[in-house]
């Protein structure tokens, strides 16, 4: 893989300045990784913004059908969607001028990640935000 993630210090700095995390693909099912990670991050004090069509709320927070529907500010988009959806997700992030995208562990789309970075976004790919937060910030 030619894509390089930011170094640990840059990731630590990012996680310390983020407040509002939009979680794309956040499942309402407690046994799903997206639910576990979002709930843990919420427990660490982050504001979680669920983004998933056809549900009203997750983790006590109003859910939105798409990033473009979110009414509040977004500091970071945490993606739990398959790699083939990343191009459209990055398009939305760029259009909304969002500062950072975190593409969860096991999801890789180098072209989309490089396009997001070229648009000025901080990009972390194929890493777990929960694991990195625990390792670098707690």
């Amino acid at each position: 893989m030619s894509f390089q993630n930011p170094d640990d210090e840059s990731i630590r700095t990012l996680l310390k300045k983020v407040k509002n995390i939009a979680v794309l693909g956040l499942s309402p099912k407690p046994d799903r990784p997206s639910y576990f990670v979002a709930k843990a991050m919420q427990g660490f004090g982050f504001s979680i913004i669920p983004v998933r069509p056809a549900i009203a709320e997750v983790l006590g927070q109003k859910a939105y059908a798409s990033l473009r529907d979110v009414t509040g500010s977004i500091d970071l988009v945490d993606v739990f969607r398959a790699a083939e959806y990343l191009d459209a997700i990055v398009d939305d992030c760029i259009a909304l001028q969002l500062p950072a995208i975190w593409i969860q562990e096991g999801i890789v789309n180098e072209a989309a990640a490089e396009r997001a970075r070229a648009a000025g976004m901080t990009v972390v790919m194929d890493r777990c935000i929960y694991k990195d937060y625990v390792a670098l910030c707690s």
Side-chain angles (χ1 to χ4, degrees):
M1 175 164 64
S2 63
F3 177 85
Q4 292 294 314
N5 279 307
D7 62 25
D8 285 352
E9 188 55 40
S10 297
I11 290 174
R12 182 182 296 110
T13 299
L14 171 67
L15 291 171
K16 287 188 178 218
K17 73 179 181 181
V18 164
K19 304 265 185 280
N20 303 312
I21 302 174
V23 183
L24 260 76
L26 176 50
S27 175
K29 298 176 181 175
D31 62 332
R32 302 294 299 159
S34 61
Y35 185 95
F36 171 82
V37 168
K39 184 174 182 175
M41 298 308 287
Q42 191 178 50
F44 293 136
F46 293 92
S47 173
I48 298 299
I49 305 162
V51 180
R52 184 181 178 114
I55 60 171
E57 73 171 45
V58 181
L59 295 171
Q61 302 300 309
K62 175 182 169 36
Y64 297 88
S66 74
L67 278 175
R68 293 176 185 257
D69 295 327
V70 175
T71 54
S73 68
I74 299 171
D75 301 318
L76 175 101
V77 175
D78 186 16
V79 180
F80 282 91
R81 298 289 318 274
E84 67 252 25
Y85 298 108
L86 279 173
D87 290 311
I89 292 166
V90 166
D91 289 343
D92 284 349
C93 290
I94 292 170
L96 295 167
Q97 299 180 325
L98 299 178
I101 185 168
W102 192 294
I103 303 162
Q104 280 295 136
E105 194 171 50
I107 306 166
V108 176
N109 181 328
E110 289 192 27
E114 291 293 357
R115 202 159 46 84
R117 183 175 282 158
M121 296 179 70
T122 300
V123 181
V124 179
M125 183 169 64
D126 194 21
R127 291 179 69 150
C128 176
I129 193 169
Y130 166 75
K131 290 178 184 175
D132 277 358
Y133 184 83
V134 169
L136 300 172
C137 299
S138 60

